[in-house]
Amino acid sequence: MSSPLSADHPAARPPGHGSVEALITQARRLRGDVDAVRRDSQEDAADPRGRWQRALYDLALHQLTDLDAHLAQLRDGPAPAPRPGSLLSRVGSAEWNLLTDEAEWSGELFRILGRDPASVPLSLDELPSLVLTEDRPKLTAMVTDCLVDARPIDGEFRVVHPDGAVRTVHMMGEPVLDDDGTTASMWAVLRDVSELRRSQRVVSETRDSLRRPPPPPWHGLLGFPDQGRPGLDLAAAHLPSAPAPGPPSRYGGWYDACPLAADGETLLTVGAFEAPGVEAHGPAVLVGALRGLALAGVRTAELGDRLGPLLASTALPPVRAAVYCGYRPLPRTLTWAHASCPAPLLFRGGTGHELTGPGGTSGQAEASLEAGDLLLLHTGTLDRAALEHLLSLAPRLTGADSAQDAVRLVTRELGEPQDRRDTCVLVARVTP
C-alpha cells in the first residue's frame, strides 16, 4: 500500500489563481441555483413549516455569499491593515443573525470596542456589558426600536476598554427583514468619534468661556454640570473678604474642572493672580489657556511654568498661587502640583490630612484615591489653627450628601469676610 505522501499521493499544493477562480464560479453558480429554487418554492409564509424552510434557504444563501467573499480574499490576498490612526482604523462593522444567534464583527470593531480580536463577538444581549452604565438604556432603546419597530439606528454611547479608557462610539444600522417582514438580522457600522467629540467640546467650552466670562466677583456656589467627568461629584465657591475702602476691585482668582481626554481624565485647578484687580474676562482667559495646555499633553507639574509665557503676552498679572490636579477615574489616581498654595486636603473615613508634596525631580506628586474620598483645593493661605479646624471637620465632610453640601460647610466654617482674604474653594468627591 502506498504511503499517503508517496509519489502516487503527492502532498496537496496551494491552489493557483485559476483553481480559486473556478471555485468562485462554482460557488456563485450554486448560490444562483439555491436562490432560484427558493423563489420557485410554494411554501406558505403563514405556515410554520413554510417559514422554517424559507429561513433555511436564507441561511444557505447567506453562507454561500460569505463563501464567495472568502474565496475572493484567498484569490486577491489579505487586504492591508488600516494605518493606525486613519479613518478606516476607527470604523468597524457587525451583523447579528437572529435566526442562528450568531454575530460577525470586523477586525476594526474588536479594536474600537476594546476586545481581543481572537475572542468571540458579543451577542446583542451581551453588548451593553461594554458600555458605561449611564449609556446602557440608550443603547438598549436603540436596539429594541430597530428589532421590534424596524427603525434605523443612529446614536452614540460610550464604551470602557479593559485599561479604563472611555471611548465614544457612533453607531448606525438597520434591520434586515425577511419576505414576511420579520427581522432576520441586524447590521451596523460603528465609528470611534472620541477625538472628534473632544475637539468639538474644547472649541465649544473655549468659545463659551470667552463669550460668557464669570461675573465679578464670583460669589456663592458653583456646581459643575455633567460634561463627561465620570467618577467625580464637583462643586466650588468664591469666599470674598470684606470690601476695602475705595472703588470695588474685582477678584483675581479662578477655579475650574475640565474633562481632558477620552479616558475620562479631569483637570482640577484653583489659583489666584498677584494683583486682585483683574478684569472680568481675566479668569476666563487663564482657564482657556490652562485647558489648551493640558489638552496638548503638558504634564501637571509643568502647567505653571508653561502658563507664565502665555500670560506675559496678555494684560493679566502673573499667577501668585495655584494648585493643578489631574484625576483619572480608572484606577482612581490623582497627580498634582502646587505653587504657593496650600496642598490639597484629603478626607477619608472620617479623618483628614494634607497630601504629601512632590518628591524627587518630577515636580508632581501622585495619590491613590478610593470611592467616598473627598478632596479640598483652596487658594487661601491658612494659619495652622485654621488648617487644623478644617481637618477637624472630616466626619462632617465625608458624611455630606454632595460636594455642594461640603462646600457650604467649608464656607460657613472659614469665618466672616473680615476674618479672611479672598479665597477660592473646590471640592471633588470620588463617586463609585
Side-chain angles (χ1 to χ4, degrees):
M1 179 179 297
S2 300
S3 166
L5 296 180
S6 66
D8 296 330
H9 298 275
R13 297 177 180 175
H17 185 279
S19 301
V20 176
E21 196 67 51
L23 290 174
I24 293 174
T25 301
Q26 294 175 25
R28 292 177 178 174
R29 183 182 299 115
L30 179 58
R31 184 179 60 185
D33 292 342
V34 173
D35 189 35
V37 173
R38 172 184 174 277
R39 289 197 303 269
D40 293 340
S41 62
Q42 300 298 321
E43 69 271 9
D44 185 0
D47 178 61
R49 179 176 176 82
R51 290 199 300 271
W52 173 74
Q53 289 179 346
R54 181 170 292 275
L56 288 181
Y57 280 129
D58 290 341
L59 178 60
L61 287 171
H62 183 77
Q63 292 176 334
L64 288 170
T65 301
D66 287 344
L67 176 61
D68 181 23
H70 294 325
L71 290 173
Q73 187 178 24
L74 184 62
R75 176 195 61 194
D76 302 332
R83 177 175 51 84
S86 68
L87 177 61
L88 289 178
S89 70
R90 300 194 300 271
V91 179
S93 60
E95 182 172 358
W96 289 273
N97 192 311
L98 305 183
L99 303 176
T100 63
D101 201 27
E102 294 179 342
E104 294 183 11
W105 289 8
S106 68
E108 292 76 21
L109 185 57
F110 282 93
R111 290 189 287 271
I112 291 171
L113 299 182
R115 297 278 294 174
D116 183 353
S119 63
V120 177
L122 299 184
S123 67
L124 286 174
D125 292 334
E126 297 169 326
L127 188 62
S129 65
L130 306 179
V131 179
L132 280 180
T133 303
E134 53 265 40
D135 289 357
R136 290 177 185 175
K138 181 194 304 183
L139 174 62
T140 300
M142 290 192 300
V143 172
T144 301
D145 289 344
C146 181
L147 298 181
V148 176
D149 299 328
R151 296 180 184 176
I153 289 179
D154 188 354
E156 294 183 5
F157 52 86
R158 291 167 294 173
V159 298
V160 184
H161 285 197
D163 62 358
V166 179
R167 309 296 294 176
T168 301
V169 176
H170 183 206
M171 182 176 184
M172 297 184 67
E174 63 182 34
V176 179
L177 307 179
D178 58 19
D179 288 347
D180 61 0
T182 303
T183 303
S185 63
M186 189 188 91
W187 71 268
V189 174
L190 296 92
R191 178 187 173 200
D192 186 340
V193 295
S194 305
E195 301 307 320
L196 174 63
R197 295 295 176 260
R198 185 184 68 162
S199 300
Q200 291 173 337
R201 185 171 63 246
V202 171
V203 171
S204 176
E205 289 183 351
T206 302
R207 181 178 61 244
D208 291 346
S209 67
L210 294 174
R211 288 181 177 177
R212 297 184 287 105
W218 293 358
H219 291 288
L221 294 172
L222 172 64
F224 294 95
D226 177 28
Q227 294 182 6
R229 303 180 183 94
L232 288 179
D233 176 22
L234 298 165
H238 164 234
L239 285 65
S241 61
S249 63
R250 296 180 171 92
Y251 177 62
W254 80 88
Y255 43 74
D256 185 46
C258 168
L260 290 183
D263 59 5
E265 183 175 1
T266 300
L267 174 69
L268 307 172
T269 64
V270 297
F273 297 101
E274 284 189 356
V278 176
E279 293 297 324
H281 68 276
V285 172
L286 183 138
V287 165
L290 273 177
R291 291 181 174 187
L293 289 172
L295 287 167
V298 176
R299 295 170 60 251
T300 303
E302 300 170 349
L303 285 174
D305 292 337
R306 297 287 293 274
L307 190 61
L310 292 178
L311 294 184
S313 62
T314 70
L316 295 176
V319 171
R320 172 176 57 82
V323 182
Y324 311 102
C325 299
Y327 175 72
R328 292 180 180 272
L330 291 174
R332 295 195 179 114
T333 302
L334 180 81
T335 57
W336 63 278
H338 67 150
S340 303
C341 257
L345 303 182
L346 174 61
F347 297 88
R348 175 186 296 169
T351 63
H353 66 275
E354 282 187 286
L355 290 180
T356 304
T361 59
S362 68
Q364 83 180 12
E366 184 172 305
S368 295
L369 304 185
E370 300 176 1
D373 284 356
L374 186 142
L375 280 171
L376 174 61
L377 314 180
H378 58 99
T379 59
T381 302
L382 301 177
D383 57 31
R384 195 63 201 176
L387 177 61
E388 292 295 339
H389 179 60
L390 274 182
L391 294 176
S392 71
L393 302 176
R396 297 165 63 187
L397 287 173
T398 55
D401 291 334
S402 67
Q404 285 205 357
D405 288 343
V407 168
R408 291 190 182 97
L409 174 60
V410 171
T411 58
R412 289 197 302 267
E413 295 294 331
L414 284 181
E416 297 300 322
Q418 62 269 19
D419 300 326
R420 63 170 182 252
R421 64 183 301 172
D422 277 343
T423 302
C424 278
V425 174
L426 187 149
V427 165
R429 188 176 66 169
V430 180
T431 60

